[in-house]
Amino acid sequence: MKNKFSLRSIIVIIVLVIVVFMGGMYFGGRSTPAKEEITSTALTQKIRDINELAVSEYDYTKVGKFSNSLKFNGWTVPLTQKSFLITYEGKLKAGVDLSDVQIEKKNNKIIVKTSAVKILSNEIDENSIKVYDETKNIFNQISITDYKTFAKEQKKKVEKEAIKNKFLEKTETKVKKAIKDLIYMTVDQDKYEVEVEVSE
């Protein structure tokens, strides 16, 4: 009876040891996963996968006037003027193309080199367009091409205005911060210093 009790105790102890060991392996593995090695190649691929990083928006509301007359040998043909007045809203987005970003890791310093900041998109909200004072000239009628050409010209004007107002310079500051934040999602901020260089 005594031997049977001792044998049972030994079995219970062995089972407990196995449970504790397995539990330690499971929970210990979850709390301290193997860390991925930080390499220039791995970081470069992660950032390139983002492709484009848009960090700034420039909303605008504009009024523009289109006017055109037929020409003959450099002279304006009388009574052929066509024109319209238009109001519209749009949005610029600016950032950087990350498809060719270069990342170099030197000990505890990570250097990121990107292409220049640029305007990534410029869209006019079609629902916001309102046309006024549209002429009805039978000799020179307004066409869809006129509207498209006008919109293209207006977009260029807005882009020049935004650039003049230091839009791209402000965007560059945001780009650097955004890239640093992306890198620090992968590496330990206490161990690595990230430097971002944006081309002119």
Side-chain angles (χ1 to χ4, degrees), residues 63-64 88 124 149-158:
V63 178
Y88 58 93
I124 291 177
T149 301
F150 177 78
K152 189 175 181 180
E153 291 173 352
Q154 292 300 300
K155 285 182 178 181
K156 289 181 179 178
K157 286 183 180 180
V158 172

Side-chain angles (χ1 to χ4, degrees), residues 40-53 96-103 110 112-114 178-186 194 196:
S40 298
T41 303
L43 287 173
T44 299
Q45 190 57 51
K46 283 187 177 182
I47 300 301
R48 283 185 177 180
D49 285 344
I50 298 171
N51 195 28
E52 280 188 350
L53 181 64
V96 67
D97 180 2
L98 295 176
S99 62
D100 58 353
V101 70
Q102 299 290 334
I103 299 179
I110 297 172
V112 184
K113 296 181 179 180
T114 77
I179 291 177
K180 284 183 179 181
D181 290 342
L182 288 170
I183 297 294
Y184 284 134
M185 289 175 66
T186 302
V194 178
V196 181

Side-chain angles (χ1 to χ4, degrees), residues 2-198:
K2 186 175 180 181
N3 291 337
K4 186 177 180 181
F5 177 77
S6 299
L7 182 60
R8 184 181 297 172
S9 300
I10 293 171
I11 293 173
V12 170
I13 291 171
I14 292 173
V15 170
L16 288 174
V17 169
I18 293 173
V19 169
V20 171
F21 176 77
M22 293 300 291
M25 290 287 290
Y26 177 73
F27 290 105
R30 290 181 62 185
S31 59
T32 57
K35 291 186 177 180
E36 182 181 351
E37 183 182 358
I38 304 301
T39 64
S40 298
T41 303
L43 287 173
T44 299
Q45 190 57 51
K46 283 187 177 182
I47 300 301
R48 283 185 177 180
D49 285 344
I50 298 171
N51 195 28
E52 280 188 350
L53 181 64
V55 297
S56 295
E57 293 184 352
Y58 185 91
D59 296 310
Y60 56 88
T61 301
K62 296 293 181 181
V63 178
K65 184 174 182 178
F66 171 85
S67 181
N68 173 271
S69 296
L70 294 178
K71 303 285 184 179
F72 181 75
N73 288 335
W75 292 87
T76 299
V77 178
L79 304 177
T80 62
Q81 185 184 47
K82 59 180 175 181
S83 65
F84 58 80
L85 186 69
I86 190 172
T87 63
Y88 58 93
E89 296 175 1
K91 179 179 293 186
L92 285 175
K93 288 186 179 180
V96 67
D97 180 2
L98 295 176
S99 62
D100 58 353
V101 70
Q102 299 290 334
I103 299 179
E104 184 179 2
K105 178 175 169 285
K106 294 181 178 179
N107 298 320
N108 292 334
K109 190 171 186 178
I110 297 172
I111 303 170
V112 184
K113 296 181 179 180
T114 77
S115 56
V117 169
K118 64 181 180 179
I119 293 172
L120 299 175
S121 66
N122 183 4
E123 301 296 333
I124 291 177
D125 180 5
E126 293 184 359
N127 295 324
S128 72
I129 297 174
K130 293 181 181 180
V131 180
Y132 305 91
D133 299 331
E134 187 176 25
T135 59
K136 306 291 183 181
N137 194 313
I138 60 173
F139 302 108
N140 189 17
Q141 296 183 9
I142 295 172
S143 66
I144 295 298
T145 302
D146 292 326
Y147 289 115
K148 289 182 177 179
T149 301
F150 177 78
K152 189 175 181 180
E153 291 173 352
Q154 292 300 300
K155 285 182 178 181
K156 289 181 179 178
K157 286 183 180 180
V158 172
E159 289 179 12
K160 288 181 180 178
E161 175 189 289
I163 292 171
K164 185 178 180 180
N165 291 333
K166 307 296 183 182
F167 179 54
L168 295 185
E169 284 88 339
K170 295 172 184 175
T171 298
E172 182 174 321
T173 300
K174 292 181 180 180
V175 162
K176 289 181 178 181
K177 183 181 183 305
I179 291 177
K180 284 183 179 181
D181 290 342
L182 288 170
I183 297 294
Y184 284 134
M185 289 175 66
T186 302
V187 305
D188 190 339
Q189 188 169 352
D190 295 328
K191 293 183 179 179
Y192 292 94
E193 176 190 355
V194 178
E195 179 181 311
V196 181
E197 299 177 3
V198 180

